[in-house]
Amino acid sequence: MHPDLIVIYTNRLNACQAFYTELGLTFVTEQHGPGPEHYATQLDGTVFELYPASPRRPATGSLRLGLTIPVGPRTAPVGQHTHSDPDGRTVVLTVTQQTHPMTTAQEARAAIHHAFGDTARTDIKTLPAGNLAITINKGNHAATIDGHDSSGWGWTVDPAEDDGFTGHENIAATLDEALTSIRAALIRPGRADGAP
């Protein structure tokens, strides 16, 4: 058995979304039919949602929530960290050295949003073998990424259009590593319009 949904109801929706985002989660805004607007993210096959509390669904009370995420540029250091969310719920965050394998376009999109926020346009294609082909556009620059955690991630910043596919300039073990390097390349001093 594996949990596939966790919902927290809160009277402080935006504060909770900011808190969990600061821990390293990436949310999207959702609304199902006439229901309330809320925040959602995917955690290793489990949907985690933050909903506004209402008279019908009051705020979630005392709760101890354990989350495990890979270390990244915006996470706490590797180890276990105990926090309290804006409503006082205990959140035990375990930051691991090993990254979570990203095999779906949705997981890749969340990782790209985590690395670039809303400052980049993204196109993701899932190839028949399950590998991903990703293009990230930021200003006048582009980066291409191809791969899968089981085979590695090749990436190139500003590939020449007339070269065709000749392989990638760089290889990373994980998509997170590739995204961190691409972000650094796009914002390095002297690169026009690369500032985040």
Side-chain angles (χ1 to χ4, degrees):
M1 185 179 302
H2 180 278
D4 60 6
L5 177 64
I6 297 171
V7 178
I8 290 178
Y9 295 93
T10 176
N11 290 315
R12 303 178 64 193
L13 183 64
N14 292 330
C16 281
Q17 185 267 344
F19 168 81
Y20 288 100
T21 297
E22 186 67 26
L23 292 183
L25 304 182
T26 301
F27 290 94
V28 295
T29 304
E30 292 185 344
Q31 184 172 10
H32 307 294
E37 212 172 73
H38 61 279
Y39 296 106
T41 190
Q42 187 87 6
L43 301 170
D44 195 20
T46 300
V47 175
F48 178 63
E49 296 180 320
L50 299 172
Y51 265 82
S54 68
R56 187 170 165 235
R57 291 203 166 83
T60 304
S62 181
L63 177 73
R64 184 176 178 91
L65 182 64
L67 300 173
T68 299
I69 62 171
V71 69
R74 295 169 56 188
T75 64
V78 171
Q80 196 170 76
H81 312 272
T82 302
H83 304 274
S84 290
D85 78 5
D87 292 327
R89 289 178 282 271
T90 300
V91 179
V92 179
L93 179 69
T94 303
V95 181
T96 62
Q97 188 66 46
Q98 182 181 9
T99 59
H100 168 69
M102 285 175 240
T103 57
T104 68
Q106 180 180 358
E107 290 169 324
R109 195 170 306 285
I112 293 164
H113 186 270
H114 182 77
F116 290 93
D118 294 322
T119 65
R121 291 185 329 268
T122 305
D123 178 53
I124 301 174
K125 292 183 175 66
T126 303
L127 305 177
N131 292 12
L132 299 179
I134 303 168
T135 303
I136 299 171
N137 292 289
K138 182 171 173 52
N140 293 326
H141 301 285
T144 58
I145 310 169
D146 294 289
H148 190 282
D149 278 330
S150 63
S151 58
W153 296 87
W155 60 273
T156 303
V157 173
D158 292 333
E161 291 181 8
D162 58 348
D163 281 351
F165 182 76
T166 58
H168 285 285
E169 298 172 350
N170 308 284
I171 300 291
T174 66
L175 180 57
D176 282 335
E177 287 177 25
L179 292 171
T180 298
S181 298
I182 289 167
R183 186 173 188 281
L186 290 177
I187 63 172
R188 72 176 178 245
R191 185 179 283 277
D193 65 49

